[in-house]
Amino acid sequence: MDLEKRYLKTLDWTIILILAGLGVFSYLGISGSAAGVDKAYQQALWYVIGFIVLGVMLLFDYRLFHNMSYVFYVIGLILLIGVFETKPINNTTSWYDLGPILFQPSEPMKLFTILTVARYMAKRAEDPDRFYYFYKLIPVAALVGVPLLLILIQPDLGTAMVFTGMLTTMLIIGGIRLKHALYLIGMIGSFFGAMTLVYEFKQDLFFKIIKPYQWDRIVYWMDPDIDAMGKGFQLKQALIAIGSGQLFGKGIDTPTQASFGWVPVGESDFIFTVIAEKLGFVGAGLLMILFFFLIYRMIRIAMEAKDPFGSYVVAGVVGMLTFQVFENIGMTIQLMPITGIPLPFISYGGSSLITNFLIMGVVLNIGMRKDKLRFD
């Protein structure tokens, strides 16, 4: 452990204040949903625990995370494999039921994957040809691909998509060549093109690859009015609630669609809808500004880090959080299809919140220790 005064002076206190501000929005959003004040109190307790976890993460030199990254990665894979032996919850095998809490191993696996990929890339940072040939991307893709596939099998498409956001920013910072990026985009485009052909000519095969409920999310995202009181109900009600908030909102204590449960899972996946209805455009805009400054401060830390490992880690976190915020808010305003991705630091849930604080502890740790480091 080493937490000297000189490190505390370089701690990014702005990020701490932003996290506290997000905590206020989280409490207001959850208390204003159908879940009510009781769950808001629980979330406040998770926030206290989260700040304690963040403080503990600052006690250790982040070289420890570099040295232990492969161990963490293997532990994460074991947990992801073990979850298939658990009882499904909401038709997915994504959780360990630990009695008073549900633990989702895919959440800490995000951090473990970022650390492992960052270590692999940092070791090759001085090699100008590290990504010159396309095949050199294979190890990085494999490190991300293995947990991604395990999460897809659960099935949890939303969380799996987050891993692609992490990989994208880390490869950009790592110096991926433009033509290789175009190759990857072409491969993704070819996949969607092939799936379109399969849907047209072999629908039985298509629905073995794509779950019917996943396809429904695409269909009713495009036009929720097809079944406004059925499969399009969630999105339709979210749009109505957001629009009814207008400029300043209806107020936290005012009975609304969110508080009466017309917005499903308003305390979790659709908490942005609750905030927009209760606090209006001003409140929702302020929340997005907080996220913007959080990402901006993390980019600053990535740029100022004195070693490649630190830069790659923070870049992965930026990609992860940016994708989650964009997808979650986007799905509530019909910009993106509906997935089960929570809004970071806002949605109700202990494992997600604690993992995010754990990750921010690593980011702040990297920002505190700016002396040039050497890795074996």
Side-chain angles (χ1 to χ4, degrees):
M1 293 188 184
D2 98 270
L3 190 62
E4 301 175 12
K5 288 184 178 179
R6 65 190 179 96
Y7 289 140
L8 288 176
K9 290 180 180 179
T10 56
L11 177 63
D12 194 328
W13 292 99
T14 301
I15 287 182
I16 301 294
L17 291 175
I18 291 172
L19 294 178
L22 293 176
V24 173
F25 273 102
S26 180
Y27 181 87
L28 294 176
I30 295 171
S31 63
S33 71
V37 176
D38 287 343
K39 280 200 172 182
Y41 284 152
Q42 293 177 31
Q43 185 78 343
L45 177 60
W46 284 118
Y47 248 91
V48 172
I49 296 173
F51 273 111
I52 294 173
V53 169
L54 185 150
V56 171
M57 295 298 289
L58 300 181
L59 298 176
F60 304 93
D61 192 311
Y62 73 89
R63 284 176 290 188
L64 173 65
F65 309 132
H66 171 277
N67 297 333
M68 294 292 292
S69 58
Y70 293 154
V71 176
F72 292 149
Y73 184 81
V74 172
I75 292 173
L77 290 181
I78 293 172
L79 290 173
L80 285 179
I81 294 171
V83 82
F84 293 114
E85 300 299 321
T86 64
K87 183 179 179 180
I89 298 175
N90 296 329
N91 298 316
T92 64
T93 51
S94 303
W95 307 83
Y96 286 101
D97 189 345
L98 303 179
I101 63 171
L102 295 174
F103 171 65
Q104 189 174 11
S106 59
E107 289 295 328
M109 192 64 204
K110 297 173 187 175
L111 174 60
F112 299 160
T113 302
I114 289 173
L115 293 174
T116 305
V117 173
R119 177 173 175 174
Y120 177 86
M121 294 176 63
K123 189 175 181 180
R124 291 152 182 81
E126 301 302 322
D127 179 8
D129 296 331
R130 59 188 177 279
F131 292 141
Y132 188 80
Y133 299 102
F134 190 70
Y135 72 86
K136 290 191 174 184
L137 295 173
I138 294 176
V140 177
L143 288 171
V144 176
V146 172
L148 186 151
L149 288 174
L150 289 173
I151 293 169
L152 277 176
I153 295 171
Q154 292 179 359
D156 186 353
L157 177 62
T159 302
M161 291 169 62
V162 175
F163 280 72
T164 63
M166 291 158 32
L167 177 62
T168 299
T169 52
M170 295 181 80
L171 287 177
I172 291 174
I173 296 298
I176 184 175
R177 300 180 70 191
L178 177 60
K179 72 173 185 177
H180 292 164
L182 293 176
Y183 289 163
L184 292 174
I185 294 172
M187 292 167 63
I188 295 171
S190 298
F191 170 77
F192 283 110
M195 291 303 296
T196 301
L197 293 175
V198 172
Y199 177 77
E200 288 292 330
F201 300 106
K202 200 74 173 174
Q203 287 197 7
D204 56 337
L205 175 60
F206 179 86
F207 286 111
K208 287 181 180 178
I209 301 172
I210 303 296
K211 303 294 182 183
Y213 76 88
Q214 293 173 333
W215 179 243
D216 285 344
R217 288 179 176 180
I218 300 295
V219 172
Y220 296 103
W221 161 55
M222 299 297 292
D223 188 1
D225 289 321
I226 295 175
D227 189 9
M229 295 305 294
K231 294 179 179 179
F233 178 82
Q234 190 175 33
L235 177 57
K236 188 70 176 178
Q237 294 303 315
L239 293 172
I240 292 172
I242 290 173
S244 67
Q246 299 187 45
L247 186 60
F248 295 107
K250 298 177 178 178
I252 292 297
D253 297 326
T254 303
T256 60
Q257 287 193 194
S259 55
F260 283 126
W262 283 86
V263 179
V265 290
E267 77 283 2
S268 181
D269 296 349
F270 275 74
I271 195 168
F272 181 79
T273 301
V274 179
I275 292 171
E277 183 184 29
K278 297 283 188 177
L279 303 178
F281 177 81
V282 172
L286 179 58
L287 174 60
M288 288 190 283
I289 289 172
L290 286 178
F291 276 123
F292 173 82
F293 277 107
L294 177 63
I295 292 168
Y296 166 73
R297 298 301 299 185
M298 288 193 294
I299 292 174
R300 287 280 304 269
I301 290 174
M303 294 173 62
E304 294 173 358
K306 298 299 183 180
D307 61 275
F309 175 73
S311 294
Y312 293 146
V313 168
V314 182
V317 175
V318 167
M320 180 195 76
L321 288 180
T322 301
F323 181 86
Q324 287 184 259
V325 171
F326 179 78
E327 167 58 29
N328 181 276
I329 295 178
M331 74 182 188
T332 66
I333 58 175
Q334 206 179 354
L335 185 63
M336 298 290 287
I338 294 176
T339 64
I341 296 178
L343 188 57
F345 297 104
I346 305 297
S347 295
Y348 175 80
S351 60
S352 174
L353 183 62
I354 296 303
T355 299
N356 285 331
F357 269 103
L358 195 71
I359 291 172
M360 291 310 303
V362 175
V363 171
L364 289 171
N365 197 318
I366 292 170
M368 285 167 57
R369 296 170 169 86
K370 298 179 181 181
D371 296 332
K372 193 162 181 100
L373 303 174
R374 287 179 134 182
F375 297 107
D376 298 328

